Amino acid sequence: MVASCFADGLERWVTFSQAERQALARLEERQRSVKRGTVLVRENDPSGDLFVLREGTAMSYVLLDDGSRQILRFLFPGDLLGTPALVYPRSPETLVALGDGVVCPFDRTAFTALLTEHPRLAAVLLALHQADRAALTDRLAALGRTSARARVAGLLVELRRRLLLAQQVRADGSFIPGLTQEEIGDATGLTAVHVNRMLRQLEDERLIARENGRVRLLDEPSLARTANYVDRFGTLNLDWLPPAR
Amino acid sequence: MVASCFADGLERWVTFSQAERQALARLEERQRSVKRGTVLVRENDPSGDLFVLREGTAMSYVLLDDGSRQILRFLFPGDLLGTPALVYPRSPETLVALGDGVVCPFDRTAFTALLTEHPRLAAVLLALHQADRAALTDRLAALGRTSARARVAGLLVELRRRLLLAQQVRADGSFIPGLTQEEIGDATGLTAVHVNRMLRQLEDERLIARENGRVRLLDEPSLARTANYVDRFGTLNLDWLPPAR
DNA sequence: CGCAAATTTGAACGTAGTCAACAAGTGTGG
DNA sequence: CCACACTTGTTGACTACGTTCAAATTTGCG
């Protein structure tokens, strides 16, 4: 039996019945390895499979008419990718691997079958969506109302938190962002040049340290404060879910 | 029997069974009228009821440490309000009426009961969430990557589209935004002063006209183009939903 | 009518963008 | 193994978009 990376991630909040776990595992029967830059879904292409990200990181972004890019989300192992395919005949966003990794593609119908056979899973997804949405609105507030420095700080804090869960942070607290400064800029609504300046500034302020590609947050609380950072997945409460079947 | 404003809105995309419609109507048994400025939920307050917005408009926003405000969403009749209450013990956002209106408050447990008794509704909500999410990411891209002029144009286009559905646009195409310029600024990440300048510029360019509080879009296609506007609720496809029961 | 809130405009300022040049990596093929 | 091309990172000088501050005007409302 294939273990479910997706279920593993969710079990931080819910416990699944044997039947549910098996059903979820079925989504990850097929595997496909990808390398940095592999495009899983391209904006405006007809919707196809969905994916569970098993290993590595990925991102989704949109391109604007003038060619500029807005990165919407960074994705980590256990995340569900390409859900817009459920309702849009053409994908509203591009999905790209940020590093070498493994994804499990599965058919849309497999997903809808899952929802009808295990209604509780629909409720779980609905709940997770709330958290996802809160994270998005946090970013909205960051782009609309905070300084470049705060946005870069926020990205680093968030990145470290996610990489911690994926065991990608060394004992000394250092990690490899795995993003170019241009990508950081496209996520935070800045230019690569200005991202560079903000990183330098944070370094000069002894809030972060950088050496050969690794970053260390020297004062995470302070960084989190300047970024208005709130962990939207920490206070999640799913007690109201119907009992497992 | 109480008609369901929520169901009515959804029936643009799905048809409900009699049983489903009745279940939805039960959410709107209680009514409460509100006037401009009424706070339905305050950020960080313990989560309470959810609401269906029956008449009028509302908005949700967050406040940052420095006192600045980011408006997350404008809400219109038929919208479901306060869903974060489902998973967060404290509300991540404030919910305020933007004008006189009527809301139907209902208990969280009523909602969870609905989901278990009518699994298909959970799927519908999941689908709608995708559209909601796409709309949010559009705004993210707007804040991160477009000019002040484009953002204000986009807000006007979106506003008109929503007010059309709510029968709030006159035959001549004019409508009352129902927002102060400060609110427009807090939604678009600008200052009230700059919003004013952008409105004046759009007026000078003959893209909009303003007279005693009413706005008319003289060249909507052009406005929509500069704003990268995409109607995320137009291309929605919900054919994959399980059959009604 | 009189007050408070909202709008409007101008002038000065500052944050972030643009343009440009160079340095430091990174990978490829000769 | 090194030369070369290419991407990424770094820094400086200049520009510009949007903010800030301030004051005047209009609008809505009790």
Side-chain angles (χ1 to χ4, degrees):
Chain A
M1 179 185 143
V2 195
S4 169
C5 187
F6 183 43
D8 289 352
L10 294 182
E11 291 214 301
R12 266 196 289 159
W13 298 286
V14 239
T15 20
F16 292 119
S17 70
Q18 198 59 30
E20 287 171 335
R21 210 170 298 122
Q22 268 173 17
L24 287 170
R26 222 164 297 138
L27 299 180
E28 297 175 44
E29 279 170 348
R30 274 192 293 154
Q31 294 208 1
R32 176 183 161 196
S33 27
V34 294
K35 50 188 208 299
R36 173 165 175 98
T38 302
V39 176
L40 295 172
V41 178
R42 198 180 299 277
E43 194 175 347
N44 287 320
D45 270 5
S47 292
D49 282 344
L50 291 114
F51 306 87
V52 170
L53 183 55
R54 203 159 238 267
E55 286 171 38
T57 56
M59 65 173 170
S60 71
Y61 63 81
V62 291
L63 291 177
L64 280 68
D65 293 346
D66 66 354
S68 60
R69 175 174 70 168
Q70 175 67 49
I71 294 178
L72 302 173
R73 200 179 188 303
F74 293 113
L75 300 146
F76 296 85
D79 282 350
L80 193 59
L81 280 57
T83 48
L86 288 172
V87 295
Y88 290 109
R90 292 170 176 282
S91 175
E93 63 193 49
T94 300
L95 215 50
V96 185
L98 270 171
D100 299 349
V102 178
V103 296
C104 302
F106 59 89
D107 198 278
R108 260 178 298 173
T109 58
F111 190 73
T112 61
L114 187 75
L115 293 186
T116 35
E117 285 159 36
H118 299 275
R120 196 177 82 117
L121 291 181
V124 171
L125 291 174
L126 211 49
L128 272 213
H129 247 284
Q130 292 301 330
D132 191 48
R133 184 181 178 282
L136 257 179
T137 58
D138 285 342
R139 297 197 52 212
L140 199 73
L143 290 195
R145 288 298 186 213
T146 73
S147 67
R149 178 168 166 277
R151 287 182 242 168
V152 172
L155 181 71
L156 291 176
V157 170
E158 172 73 7
L159 206 53
R160 199 189 85 108
R161 200 184 63 78
R162 301 295 306 255
L163 290 177
L164 257 179
L165 294 176
Q167 325 280 346
Q168 302 277 41
V169 177
R170 273 208 199 142
D172 67 354
S174 73
F175 59 95
I176 300 173
L179 303 172
T180 66
Q181 294 181 0
E182 178 154 21
E183 285 160 349
I184 297 178
D186 285 344
T188 53
L190 302 169
T191 56
V193 172
H194 204 58
V195 167
N196 185 287
R197 284 197 255 266
M198 292 302 104
L199 288 172
R200 147 120 344 242
Q201 190 185 331
L202 292 173
E203 195 173 22
D204 290 347
E205 294 171 317
R206 315 276 160 194
L207 293 174
I208 67 171
R210 292 184 291 168
E211 35 190 343
N212 44 48
R214 304 192 72 87
V215 175
R216 201 149 38 95
L217 308 189
L218 300 178
D219 188 349
E220 216 218 318
S222 171
L223 288 166
R225 224 174 315 115
T226 59
N228 276 102
Y229 182 79
V230 185
D231 181 355
R232 294 299 182 186
F233 289 84
T235 58
L236 224 48
N237 181 338
L238 271 62
D239 297 346
W240 54 272
L241 286 173
R245 275 196 320 189
Chain B
M1 176 185 145
V2 196
S4 170
C5 188
F6 183 43
D8 289 352
L10 294 182
E11 291 214 300
R12 265 194 290 158
W13 298 285
V14 239
T15 18
F16 293 119
S17 69
Q18 198 60 30
E20 286 170 335
R21 210 171 297 122
Q22 268 174 17
L24 287 170
R26 222 164 296 137
L27 298 180
E28 296 175 45
E29 279 170 347
R30 274 192 293 154
Q31 295 208 0
R32 176 182 161 194
S33 29
V34 294
K35 49 188 207 299
R36 174 166 175 96
T38 301
V39 176
L40 296 172
V41 177
R42 198 180 300 276
E43 194 175 347
N44 287 321
D45 270 6
S47 291
D49 282 342
L50 293 133
F51 307 85
V52 170
L53 182 55
R54 202 158 238 265
E55 286 170 39
T57 54
M59 65 172 171
S60 70
Y61 64 82
V62 291
L63 292 177
L64 304 191
D65 293 346
D66 66 355
S68 61
R69 175 175 69 170
Q70 175 66 49
I71 294 179
L72 303 174
R73 201 179 187 304
F74 293 114
L75 300 145
F76 297 85
D79 282 350
L80 193 59
L81 279 58
T83 47
L86 288 172
V87 295
Y88 290 110
R90 293 170 174 282
S91 174
E93 62 193 49
T94 301
L95 214 51
V96 186
L98 270 170
D100 299 351
V102 178
V103 296
C104 303
F106 59 89
D107 198 277
R108 260 177 297 174
T109 58
F111 190 72
T112 60
L114 187 75
L115 293 186
T116 35
E117 284 160 35
H118 299 276
R120 195 177 83 116
L121 291 182
V124 171
L125 291 174
L126 213 48
L128 272 212
H129 247 285
Q130 292 300 331
D132 192 47
R133 185 182 178 282
L136 257 179
T137 58
D138 286 341
R139 299 197 51 213
L140 200 73
L143 289 195
R145 287 297 184 214
T146 73
S147 68
R149 178 168 166 278
R151 286 183 242 168
V152 172
L155 181 71
L156 291 175
V157 170
E158 172 73 7
L159 207 53
R160 199 188 86 107
R161 201 185 62 79
R162 301 296 305 254
L163 290 177
L164 256 180
L165 294 175
Q167 326 279 344
Q168 301 276 47
V169 178
R170 272 207 199 142
D172 68 353
S174 73
F175 59 95
I176 300 173
L179 302 172
T180 66
Q181 295 181 1
E182 178 154 21
E183 284 160 349
I184 297 177
D186 285 345
T188 53
L190 301 169
T191 57
V193 172
H194 204 58
V195 168
N196 185 286
R197 284 196 250 266
M198 292 302 103
L199 287 172
R200 148 123 339 248
Q201 189 186 331
L202 292 173
E203 196 173 20
D204 290 347
E205 294 171 317
R206 316 274 159 194
L207 293 174
I208 68 172
R210 292 184 294 167
E211 34 190 345
N212 43 48
R214 303 191 73 87
V215 175
R216 201 148 39 95
L217 308 190
L218 300 178
D219 188 349
E220 215 218 315
S222 170
L223 287 167
R225 224 172 316 115
T226 58
N228 276 101
Y229 182 78
V230 185
D231 181 354
R232 294 299 182 186
F233 289 85
T235 58
L236 224 49
N237 181 339
L238 272 63
D239 296 347
W240 54 273
L241 286 173
R245 275 199 319 189

